[in-house]
Amino acid sequence: MEPNILTGSFQLMKSLNRSVILNTIRKKGGISRADIAKTTKLTPPTVSNLVKELLETEMIIETSLGVSSGGRKPTLLTLNSDMFHVIGLDIGSHHLKIILTDINGRIRKKQIHPIPDSITNEGLLDLMITSIYAIQKNEQIDRNKIIGIGIGMHGIVDVDQGVSVFAPNLKLKNIGIKDALEKEFQMVVQIENDARAMSLGELWFGNGHGDDSIVCINVGRGIGAGIIINGQVFRGEHYISGEIGHMAIDLNGPKCTCGNYGCLQTFASGPAIVESLKKELKLGESSILSNKENEIDGEVIYQAALAGDLLSKNILNKAGRYLGVGVTNLIHTVNPKRIVISGGVSNAKEFILESVKKTIEQRALTDSAKQTEVIISKFGADATVMGAIALILAQLFATPGNT
Amino acid sequence: MEPNILTGSFQLMKSLNRSVILNTIRKKGGISRADIAKTTKLTPPTVSNLVKELLETEMIIETSLGVSSGGRKPTLLTLNSDMFHVIGLDIGSHHLKIILTDINGRIRKKQIHPIPDSITNEGLLDLMITSIYAIQKNEQIDRNKIIGIGIGMHGIVDVDQGVSVFAPNLKLKNIGIKDALEKEFQMVVQIENDARAMSLGELWFGNGHGDDSIVCINVGRGIGAGIIINGQVFRGEHYISGEIGHMAIDLNGPKCTCGNYGCLQTFASGPAIVESLKKELKLGESSILSNKENEIDGEVIYQAALAGDLLSKNILNKAGRYLGVGVTNLIHTVNPKRIVISGGVSNAKEFILESVKKTIEQRALTDSAKQTEVIISKFGADATVMGAIALILAQLFATPGNT
DNA sequence: GTTAATTAAATATAATTATAAACTATAATG
DNA sequence: CATTATAGTTTATAATTATATTTAATTAAC
């Protein structure tokens, strides 16, 4: 069947305006009815009526009176952030991270649970359910004031069905997460690929407020990108948009786990960096890591580089240059306003970011493309779980018609 | 200043519904008021009122009576395609092609003008203006029933300003096309990059009716892609989305005109194919083109391949494989539903398409990605000019709010 | 061939919501 | 303390869609 066509009706008109007002309050935070009318170009009575309704739902509250510039003092309105809460999960390769936030995304509680090796679908679902109960324990929070549960998950995710189709790092397939959690908790549940969740988190909580187009690149065990266009997560036809880890950049390069040669993640992922360094050590390069081959992981290399180890620095720089090639390809394809780099490898920002930028400067076609903003995520290891929160908030504050 | 926020109002409600009805008539072609009400879920009186208005504007007409299935015969409505017309231009490297169509995109007249070498900005604008006058000559068409002029142009185009920022093949910069033509003709003028125009044309007139996500790849002197997401042309932040000709796929590959190495268009563009064949000839490969080095161009190679020349076939196949690598990178980034290949090189479809498909089959990550539809444009050399028409039609039939 | 049922379209009335204009409340200013 | 500026509310009105009813035109059944 055709999807429902969006037609104009009184309900649409009203819900659109209510949403516009709610979002204005969210963005400006502490704004009077009169100012809402000015910025939205709605008339004062319309604003007053809808604000009254929003006050009744307790989504917003009247706070202090503002300062007057000659006339009645404005009554300032803000989101009622103490009332409503959101739960976010980040399902990684070894750990499940869960947070509880208010609707401004301020973290109230954070917990981490290890994920046992060779876990089953049912085991993972059980772990998720118990962790969701656990984080609510001893919290003075009305259960039906929890708006929803957002989940960021690596691998391929069918957002509409709410299924983790393939989670390679856990070796699991077809986990029916949404159905299971909705049945258990009777609230909104939304699951999304980790890089895409991150990118939405970056849009909501990062510097990129608004309707921008941004790309968030998650560089860790693999490399994945989340693409935001006009403020909407872009998923592609089969939920594999942004799978840039397997972008071919050097057809004569090393063999990748996918079977092809020269994929981006054979150069710039965490494992690739470790391999690259080990190989140099075997070739006899001198380094402070020379006799510690078994202890080497990404963090160790980063610390060595910080301590001044030239080989470690060079290896990280090289990874940055390759990442820059991939990023430039993305700029020439998606041409976003801003690119945010996150994930484990982005920890080594001092040694990565500059070489990414230099590579873009060198390779990008036009001056404007060269000036594409490239930053490191400010959320560090919390990027995915904040993105999971953003999934629910994006839905809560969505404008009618913009699915 | 902030862009205007979209708020609900009676005008919006009405114009949304009018647009929904108009588009329903356009898509279904020959549909009764009652059926419109059913498919749109608008009520019959609403439909009747808006249909009355649309009849008054002469945008639609009542045609025959349909067949009854027990009851009054339905009055069928269609677009009044004989009344309104659109002009489309394709500004290529050597020729200006111009067509006049009705609002169903049916071509009424087509003309081609050569573009002199070393033309100036003013010269090109003059040529455009005279060609637009010329195509209207001897046509029984009401001047103010021409809806607009669409222009597809290679290079980088600033759609909002209506300026061709950089047209490398004509060696021109900053041609203020929109302003000049709007001043001369007082009607809607829209200019767009050729690949993006093509992609919109493919969406409107090709197999891909609807709100799909498709990518159209123009393989000629360069390689450019037009990306359509949710039925909207996607341009990127600096109008360079889809510039995949300079996607790095082989960092150790040949040097490109852009200064980098291993760009896609050093392998799969028209000039790259010609160079590649000439090189093989020099190396002594036998071919029916062996002593005709000066006559070789894309068309000659294609004809040779058709005539059974093995070298020509191999060269075209190889280009197809490289193109397939680029296309697979696109699938892993944008993940569209359908990919359409057009431009000069796509003429050699017998020798290109299969190797593109094989490469995707070999390299794509998931089964669903492997099944991405890849077709050759059915418009051939008319792809850009049909896209230019689509630019205007897309605007005419746009839903309010979806800019 | 008359009548009932069905479908299409128009019309009249009601309901919903935004808008405009008038009004009340409150504060700063001189 | 009057004047003026600003915030917010009330009332009346206008622009629409929605609902219910009516008219028209057919087909199908008896």
Side-chain angles (χ1 to χ4, degrees):
Chain A
M1 240 357 232
E2 300 260 323
N4 272 352
I5 305 168
L6 183 74
T7 50
S9 64
F10 296 110
Q11 290 120 55
L12 178 77
M13 193 161 60
K14 190 174 182 180
S15 66
L16 218 186
N17 287 341
R18 180 173 27 219
S19 164
V20 164
I21 291 173
L22 183 60
N23 277 296
T24 307
I25 294 172
R26 175 176 69 80
K27 282 176 193 160
K28 300 277 165 71
I31 185 172
S32 68
R33 290 169 176 78
D35 275 351
I36 294 173
K38 269 172 213 148
T39 56
T40 61
K41 289 178 185 157
L42 291 166
T43 56
T46 303
V47 174
S48 279
N49 284 332
L50 292 171
V51 161
K52 191 189 285 174
E53 283 189 27
L54 287 169
L55 285 168
E56 278 163 12
T57 64
E58 299 187 284
M59 275 291 288
I60 63 172
I61 46 173
E62 292 185 331
T63 53
S64 57
L65 295 182
V67 290
S68 160
S69 56
R72 176 172 166 178
K73 281 182 181 169
T75 317
L76 300 186
L77 303 164
T78 61
L79 289 186
N80 188 2
S81 56
D82 287 341
M83 183 68 87
F84 295 93
H85 294 85
V86 185
I87 292 174
L89 282 84
D90 167 12
I91 316 245
S93 310
H94 303 298
H95 298 279
L96 180 160
K97 187 189 290 182
I98 181 168
I99 61 175
L100 178 74
T101 76
D102 65 22
I103 50 174
N104 284 318
R106 270 189 291 265
I107 297 178
R108 303 246 312 207
K109 205 169 179 182
K110 185 196 290 191
Q111 293 176 340
I112 295 179
H113 306 269
I115 299 177
D117 288 347
S118 65
I119 195 169
T120 62
N121 283 9
E122 291 69 31
L124 184 65
L125 288 173
D126 282 347
L127 180 61
M128 293 170 76
I129 289 171
T130 55
S131 73
I132 292 168
Y133 278 119
I135 202 158
Q136 293 179 67
K137 214 167 186 178
N138 303 328
E139 289 287 318
Q140 300 290 15
I141 290 175
D142 191 347
R143 275 288 292 281
N144 54 27
K145 296 277 163 70
I146 294 182
I147 291 167
I149 303 168
I151 300 150
M153 173 104 198
H154 80 275
I156 294 166
V157 172
D158 180 333
V159 175
D160 301 302
Q161 301 293 317
V163 171
S164 162
V165 177
F166 181 40
N169 297 353
L170 295 171
K171 301 191 187 81
L172 296 180
K173 281 185 181 176
N174 298 317
I175 322 170
I177 294 177
K178 183 173 172 162
D179 280 352
L181 296 190
E182 279 183 346
K183 194 178 163 196
E184 182 74 26
F185 297 103
Q186 267 113 35
M187 57 180 75
V188 171
V189 174
Q190 203 173 350
I191 169 173
E192 183 57 279
N193 163 273
D194 54 359
R196 286 203 280 271
M198 274 181 189
S199 63
L200 195 66
E202 204 62 43
L203 188 79
W204 273 73
F205 306 119
N207 309 336
H209 270 266
D211 300 343
D212 297 331
S213 71
I214 71 171
V215 168
C216 188
I217 303 179
N218 183 20
V219 192
R221 287 177 63 165
I223 301 179
I227 301 171
I228 303 269
I229 293 173
N230 297 330
Q232 304 277 118
V233 176
F234 176 65
R235 306 194 171 94
E237 187 70 15
H238 314 103
Y239 309 105
I240 60 161
S241 86
E243 282 292 341
I244 60 168
H246 300 281
M247 172 194 284
I249 61 167
D250 182 358
L251 287 174
N252 299 303
K255 186 163 189 176
C256 176
T257 52
C258 73
N260 294 313
Y261 294 84
C263 294
L264 178 58
Q265 71 181 39
T266 63
F267 297 105
S269 67
I273 291 170
V274 171
E275 282 312 303
S276 177
L277 189 124
K278 283 185 177 169
K279 192 173 155 196
E280 290 296 329
L281 289 182
K282 274 184 194 147
L283 288 172
E285 279 291 324
S286 69
S287 159
I288 59 176
L289 298 175
S290 284
N291 294 314
K292 303 176 182 169
E293 287 201 21
N294 295 328
E295 304 164 25
I296 295 176
D297 64 9
E299 182 61 22
V300 168
I301 297 174
Y302 173 49
Q303 291 301 335
L306 276 182
D309 183 53
L310 209 64
L311 177 62
S312 299
K313 277 189 193 174
N314 285 341
I315 292 284
L316 288 172
N317 286 157
K318 193 177 81 177
R321 288 198 299 277
Y322 278 103
L323 189 58
V325 171
V327 169
T328 310
N329 279 354
L330 261 182
I331 291 176
H332 290 160
T333 314
V334 179
N335 185 212
K337 182 173 182 180
R338 168 184 297 136
I339 289 175
V340 183
I341 300 175
S342 59
V345 172
S346 73
N347 287 342
K349 47 179 167 290
E350 299 90 334
F351 308 103
I352 299 279
L353 187 58
E354 275 315 304
S355 38
V356 170
K357 283 184 176 171
K358 256 186 211 155
T359 309
I360 294 170
E361 172 66 30
Q362 185 194 321
R363 303 186 68 92
L365 274 182
T366 65
D367 288 347
S368 54
K370 286 181 201 296
Q371 281 151 28
T372 305
E373 202 181 334
V374 182
I375 60 174
I376 301 285
S377 170
K378 66 180 187 187
F379 296 117
D382 282 348
T384 299
V385 77
M386 288 308 293
I389 297 291
L391 289 175
I392 301 298
L393 294 183
Q395 197 172 320
L396 179 66
F397 292 105
T399 343
N402 286 348
T403 315
Chain B
M1 239 357 231
E2 300 259 324
N4 273 352
I5 304 170
L6 182 75
T7 50
S9 66
F10 294 104
Q11 288 124 55
L12 178 77
M13 196 161 56
K14 190 173 183 179
S15 65
L16 220 186
N17 287 341
R18 180 174 26 221
S19 165
V20 164
I21 290 173
L22 183 59
N23 277 296
T24 306
I25 294 172
R26 176 177 67 82
K27 282 176 193 161
K28 301 276 166 71
I31 186 173
S32 68
R33 291 167 176 80
D35 274 351
I36 293 172
K38 267 172 215 149
T39 56
T40 60
K41 288 178 185 158
L42 290 165
T43 56
T46 303
V47 173
S48 279
N49 285 332
L50 292 170
V51 161
K52 191 189 286 176
E53 284 189 29
L54 288 170
L55 285 169
E56 277 162 11
T57 65
E58 299 187 282
M59 274 291 288
I60 62 171
I61 46 172
E62 291 184 330
T63 51
S64 56
L65 295 181
V67 288
S68 161
S69 55
R72 176 172 166 177
K73 281 183 181 170
T75 318
L76 301 186
L77 303 163
T78 61
L79 290 185
N80 188 2
S81 57
D82 287 341
M83 184 67 88
F84 296 92
H85 294 84
V86 185
I87 292 175
L89 281 84
D90 167 11
I91 317 247
S93 311
H94 303 298
H95 298 280
L96 181 161
K97 187 189 290 182
I98 182 167
I99 61 174
L100 177 75
T101 75
D102 66 22
I103 50 175
N104 284 317
R106 268 188 292 264
I107 298 177
R108 303 245 312 207
K109 204 167 179 182
K110 185 196 290 192
Q111 293 176 339
I112 295 179
H113 306 269
I115 299 179
D117 287 347
S118 65
I119 194 168
T120 61
N121 283 8
E122 290 69 33
L124 185 64
L125 287 173
D126 282 347
L127 180 60
M128 291 170 78
I129 290 172
T130 53
S131 73
I132 292 168
Y133 279 119
I135 201 158
Q136 294 177 67
K137 213 167 187 178
N138 303 327
E139 288 289 317
Q140 302 288 15
I141 290 175
D142 191 348
R143 275 288 291 280
N144 54 26
K145 294 277 165 67
I146 294 182
I147 292 168
I149 302 169
I151 300 150
M153 174 106 197
H154 81 276
I156 295 167
V157 172
D158 180 333
V159 175
D160 301 304
Q161 302 293 317
V163 171
S164 163
V165 177
F166 181 41
N169 296 352
L170 295 171
K171 301 193 187 80
L172 297 181
K173 281 185 181 177
N174 298 317
I175 322 170
I177 295 178
K178 184 175 170 158
D179 280 353
L181 296 191
E182 279 183 348
K183 194 177 164 198
E184 182 75 27
F185 296 104
Q186 268 114 33
M187 57 180 76
V188 171
V189 174
Q190 203 172 351
I191 168 173
E192 182 56 280
N193 163 273
D194 54 359
R196 286 204 278 272
M198 272 181 191
S199 63
L200 194 66
E202 204 61 44
L203 187 80
W204 273 73
F205 306 120
N207 310 337
H209 269 265
D211 301 344
D212 297 330
S213 72
I214 71 171
V215 168
C216 189
I217 303 178
N218 182 20
V219 192
R221 285 178 64 162
I223 301 180
I227 301 171
I228 301 268
I229 292 173
N230 297 329
Q232 303 277 118
V233 176
F234 175 67
R235 305 193 172 94
E237 187 69 17
H238 315 102
Y239 309 105
I240 61 161
S241 86
E243 281 293 341
I244 60 169
H246 300 281
M247 172 194 286
I249 61 168
D250 182 358
L251 288 175
N252 299 304
K255 187 163 189 175
C256 178
T257 52
C258 71
N260 293 313
Y261 294 83
C263 294
L264 178 58
Q265 72 182 38
T266 63
F267 296 107
S269 66
I273 291 171
V274 171
E275 282 312 303
S276 177
L277 189 125
K278 282 185 178 169
K279 193 173 154 196
E280 290 296 327
L281 288 182
K282 274 183 193 147
L283 288 171
E285 277 291 324
S286 70
S287 159
I288 58 176
L289 300 175
S290 286
N291 293 315
K292 303 176 182 169
E293 287 201 19
N294 295 327
E295 306 164 23
I296 293 175
D297 64 9
E299 182 61 22
V300 168
I301 297 175
Y302 173 50
Q303 291 302 335
L306 275 182
D309 183 54
L310 209 63
L311 178 61
S312 299
K313 275 189 193 175
N314 285 341
I315 292 284
L316 289 172
N317 286 157
K318 193 177 80 177
R321 287 198 299 277
Y322 278 104
L323 189 58
V325 172
V327 170
T328 310
N329 279 354
L330 262 183
I331 291 175
H332 290 160
T333 313
V334 178
N335 185 211
K337 183 172 181 182
R338 169 184 298 136
I339 289 175
V340 183
I341 300 174
S342 58
V345 172
S346 73
N347 286 343
K349 48 180 167 291
E350 299 90 333
F351 307 103
I352 300 277
L353 187 58
E354 275 314 304
S355 37
V356 171
K357 283 184 175 171
K358 257 187 209 156
T359 308
I360 294 171
E361 171 67 29
Q362 184 194 322
R363 301 187 69 92
L365 274 181
T366 65
D367 287 347
S368 54
K370 286 181 201 295
Q371 280 151 29
T372 305
E373 201 179 334
V374 182
I375 59 174
I376 302 284
S377 170
K378 66 179 187 187
F379 296 117
D382 282 349
T384 297
V385 78
M386 288 308 294
I389 297 290
L391 289 174
I392 301 298
L393 294 182
Q395 197 173 319
L396 179 67
F397 292 105
T399 344
N402 287 347
T403 315

